Amino acid sequence: MSESTNRIMQVARHEYRAAVRSRALIILLAILVVATGFSVFIGATDYAAQLAEYDAYRAAAQAQGLTRIAPSPLAVLSLLRGAFEYLEIIGAIIAITLGYLSVSRERVSRTLPLLRSRPLTGTELAAGTFLGALAIFTTLIAATAVVGIVALGTIGNDWINPAQVLRLTLACVAALLYLSAFYCLGAIATAKAKMPANGLVIALGIWLLVVLVLPQIGDTLDADNQLPGGLFQALGLNHDGEIAVLTHFTGYEQVRTGIEEASLAKHFERFAFAMSDVKERYRPYGLPWLLNETRHDIGWLFAYAAVLFLGLRRTLTRQQPIPTGGNS
Amino acid sequence: MSEPVIELQGLQHRYDTDLVLRDVDLSIGEGEIFGFLGHNGAGKTTAMNILTTLLEPTGGTATICGYDVVTDRREVTRLIGYLPADVRMYGHMSAAENLEFLAKLSGVPDARAAARETLEYLGCADLAKRRVGTFSTGMRQRIGIAQAIVHRPHVLFLDEPTSGLDPMGVRQLRETVLQLNRDLGMTVFMNTHQLNEVSKVCTTIGVLNHGELIYNDSIEATMRRFPDEASLEDIYVRVGDLAS
């Protein structure tokens, strides 16, 4: 391991340990895991009943010698919808809080000069804190996923198969990118603000806009959302038919899409919902088709995370380790 | 004088329109204990912040063992140890954890052993497992010195190291500085107001007045030059009078 990598890993480890010692963060993490567990528990209980009904139908059909048996309309991964929605909302708050704590801890305790009087560059500091945050998010997402999978298997009586594990893993990667972007946002806002708490308020304001306001506007303007169950489904149109109709409303759709594209949360939601069968229209398709269909969303998530990380690196590199003005 | 370890040439620093360091030229040799004196706001801390790479000068150059503090920051930070005026450490971590973390950042191969040995060397092994957040000022100062020397630097910077210490603490710190200089051959650069401490510890002094270096010589030469003054305090006042 090179000296630079070693320093980055030390900062990452330091960041991780400091974060898990934060009571506020632990409370938020507990809320997320409990909310997820509860949501999946409720869904899985209902799912178990539906699955039993389908199994009974299937057994009866086989007993009567039917050769064409309708496939199960159930999608076990879709029960994780609540988990993704909690990650989208509460997870983003946790990520912002973590970014805030990471920067404010050094600022308030004035330990930055200690770090910067060592052979540690701003880039190494940024990479280390970012990696530490990634480790925390990985723990958080893995815990959420394990709670979900175990609940589906034990309560819903349907253990997910390897192909579903792969899709769930991809959705978790998207969640990691999503949370990393909000972490960087919280850290940048805190480092740039004169008072760390002001940075937190600004970052939460942006969260409100990106996670709640913009997607709501985009959803409200979505033609498919004008009828329960979907306008295009009511019209008996498939995905190609939907696209054919929307070509007549390109200007309107461009504005609406533009609003949605601006929302990081929407990209995460689209990708995660596609991977976890939440959207019924995606269910008939295989992974390659799904990846092609959602490539822009994962691309945007990656771009947001990368740009915000570069912003964090720039901010920490330029951050004065001592207050300007000096004692003497 | 021995080979210069710290060298300042035309060093300047400006905060907005306020020029706090004015063309400071200074050379400090290997193994010296240098006392940097000056009134509040004279520019001592600014000079130390520049020498410890925490602040970039707005003019002139500063080098540590030939390495420029701006362009060779990484090499410089390997060579120096720094005790800020307001000693801050990670309060939620123990003394040993603080030292180990900082030693690792400095690239010390066996950081844990270095932390333990440093605490033992400074006679504070009993503090190793205690959380720093619970320490008194004196304890923090000792751990502050430990973190500054855990990677065995060549040059040690101490900013107002005796501020807030009781007489026993001041005495202990003086002995520590002398011990580090004698045992480990560290060159020490110390900002201070404590003139009586300077006369007991330092080998050379410099006096900064409104950002300008108005005096720089060895303690012995200073005493010879001002034979009529009773103490270093009198000399300090006299030098200030001469400058104005």
Side-chain angles (χ1 to χ4, degrees):
Chain A
M1 197 186 289
S2 76
E3 274 191 37
S4 180
T5 313
N6 187 38
R7 276 191 292 273
I8 291 171
M9 295 312 291
Q10 291 310 326
V11 174
R13 197 172 297 166
H14 177 71
E15 187 70 19
Y16 186 88
R17 284 180 182 167
V20 296
R21 279 173 169 166
S22 162
R23 197 171 297 168
L25 198 70
I26 295 297
I27 291 171
L28 280 170
L29 291 176
I31 289 173
L32 181 65
V33 174
V34 168
T36 301
F38 189 69
S39 147
V40 177
F41 173 79
I42 298 289
T45 308
D46 185 45
Y47 180 87
Q50 290 181 42
L51 187 63
E53 273 179 33
Y54 175 76
D55 286 343
Y57 150 76
R58 190 187 167 96
Q62 281 172 338
Q64 287 175 8
L66 292 177
T67 50
R68 292 182 64 196
I69 299 172
S72 167
L74 303 172
V76 67
L77 278 184
S78 68
L79 298 179
L80 294 176
R81 177 185 186 139
F84 288 117
E85 283 175 342
Y86 290 135
L87 270 179
E88 185 183 328
I89 298 169
I90 305 174
I93 295 177
I94 291 174
I96 288 173
T97 308
L98 189 62
Y100 159 77
L101 287 173
S102 168
V103 174
S104 68
R105 195 169 41 239
E106 300 290 350
R107 275 185 69 175
V108 172
S109 63
R110 285 184 277 167
T111 41
L112 204 53
L114 274 185
L115 299 181
R116 298 307 297 275
S117 64
R118 308 278 157 177
L120 179 75
T121 64
T123 303
E124 288 166 353
L125 182 60
T129 51
F130 185 74
L131 274 183
L134 277 188
I136 294 160
F137 297 144
T138 305
T139 311
L140 164 70
I141 293 168
T144 309
V146 167
V147 166
I149 291 170
V150 170
L152 294 179
T154 53
I155 303 163
N157 295 323
D158 199 356
W159 290 95
I160 62 174
N161 60 42
Q164 288 169 323
V165 169
L166 177 62
R167 277 160 56 191
L168 185 60
T169 306
L170 288 171
C172 289
V173 170
L176 203 56
L177 289 172
Y178 175 74
L179 296 182
S180 314
F182 276 105
Y183 167 81
C184 292
L185 174 70
I188 293 170
T190 307
K192 287 213 174 276
K194 279 193 174 172
M195 299 285 289
N198 292 349
L200 179 64
V201 171
I202 291 166
L204 288 175
I206 296 171
W207 165 84
L208 189 70
L209 184 73
V210 169
V211 177
L212 298 180
V213 178
L214 289 178
Q216 196 56 50
I217 294 173
D219 274 350
T220 308
L221 294 177
D222 191 345
D224 199 36
N225 290 343
Q226 304 310 311
L227 280 180
L231 174 69
F232 297 109
Q233 192 149 353
L235 292 172
L237 295 172
N238 62 10
H239 189 61
D240 294 334
E242 178 184 334
I243 290 171
V245 169
L246 289 177
T247 51
H248 296 286
F249 302 93
T250 47
Y252 176 84
E253 265 304 292
Q254 270 173 2
V255 172
R256 193 188 70 78
T257 309
I259 293 170
E260 285 197 345
E261 299 279 300
S263 170
L264 184 62
K266 203 68 194 170
H267 292 295
F268 168 61
E269 190 182 288
R270 280 182 189 161
F271 187 83
F273 283 4
M275 291 299 140
S276 55
D277 291 331
V278 171
K279 291 277 183 189
E280 280 187 31
R281 67 179 182 195
Y282 286 140
R283 288 183 190 170
Y285 302 101
L287 184 60
W289 188 90
L290 287 176
L291 285 175
N292 185 50
E293 189 69 9
T294 53
R295 65 187 186 282
H296 292 114
D297 296 309
I298 196 74
W300 274 108
L301 278 172
F302 187 78
Y304 269 113
V307 166
L308 283 163
F309 170 70
L310 291 175
L312 175 66
R313 175 179 166 268
R314 186 185 162 94
T315 306
L316 292 186
T317 305
R318 294 183 169 202
Q319 195 178 23
Q320 285 285 344
I322 47 164
T324 49
N327 175 34
S328 59
Chain B
M1 191 179 72
S2 53
E3 195 69 18
V5 169
I6 302 171
E7 199 149 32
L8 282 61
Q9 287 183 344
L11 194 70
Q12 280 190 8
H13 194 74
R14 189 184 288 277
Y15 292 118
D16 296 325
T17 55
D18 193 11
L19 190 62
V20 293
L21 284 179
R22 299 161 189 264
D23 294 322
V24 176
D25 292 314
L26 181 65
S27 194
I28 298 166
E30 177 94 51
E32 285 187 24
I33 301 178
F34 178 79
F36 209 24
L37 307 169
H39 57 86
N40 282 335
K44 304 187 301 293
T45 299
T46 299
M48 187 169 282
N49 285 335
I50 290 171
L51 288 168
T52 52
T53 78
L54 297 176
L55 192 65
E56 283 192 17
T58 52
T61 59
T63 59
I64 307 284
C65 300
Y67 292 107
D68 188 284
V69 296
V70 177
T71 56
D72 307 317
R73 192 189 158 270
R74 183 159 283 183
E75 285 75 13
V76 170
T77 49
R78 284 182 210 284
L79 291 166
I80 64 166
Y82 170 51
L83 176 72
D86 183 12
V87 184
R88 294 284 177 162
M89 272 165 290
Y90 297 99
H92 63 276
M93 287 159 62
S94 71
E97 284 172 337
N98 266 285
L99 260 60
E100 196 181 326
F101 172 56
L102 294 167
K104 281 176 178 168
L105 290 184
S106 294
V108 175
D110 190 349
R112 183 166 293 179
R116 192 184 58 242
E117 284 163 17
T118 304
L119 288 169
E120 282 168 5
Y121 177 76
L122 294 174
C124 40
D126 54 319
L127 302 179
K129 289 183 179 170
R130 287 178 56 185
R131 275 180 55 216
V132 170
T134 62
F135 284 3
S136 67
T137 308
M139 289 171 175
R140 291 176 77 89
Q141 202 73 351
R142 284 159 72 192
I143 301 304
I145 291 186
Q147 65 79 18
I149 65 162
V150 70
H151 55 298
R152 298 295 180 266
H154 203 65
V155 187
L156 182 61
F157 288 93
L158 308 172
D159 194 4
E160 306 287 359
T162 53
S163 65
L165 293 182
D166 58 27
M168 278 307 290
V170 171
R171 186 174 187 166
Q172 205 167 28
L173 185 113
R174 184 201 313 148
E175 283 163 6
T176 303
V177 170
L178 288 169
Q179 185 187 353
L180 290 169
N181 178 257
R182 188 182 58 239
D183 296 353
L184 306 176
M186 282 182 196
T187 303
V188 181
F189 185 110
M190 184 163 69
N191 281 354
T192 184
H193 285 116
Q194 305 284 332
L195 295 172
N196 55 335
E197 283 309 308
V198 170
S199 58
K200 287 173 186 164
V201 175
C202 296
T203 53
T204 52
I205 58 165
V207 179
L208 205 59
N209 187 35
H210 296 292
E212 210 172 324
L213 188 70
I214 55 170
Y215 185 82
N216 175 30
D217 214 335
S218 69
I219 287 283
E220 287 167 8
T222 303
M223 294 301 182
R224 279 200 304 273
R225 191 166 161 186
F226 301 97
D228 300 333
E229 310 301 337
S231 67
L232 191 62
E233 188 177 332
D234 298 330
I235 294 171
Y236 176 74
V237 172
R238 178 88 191 279
V239 166
D241 288 346
L242 289 173
S244 57

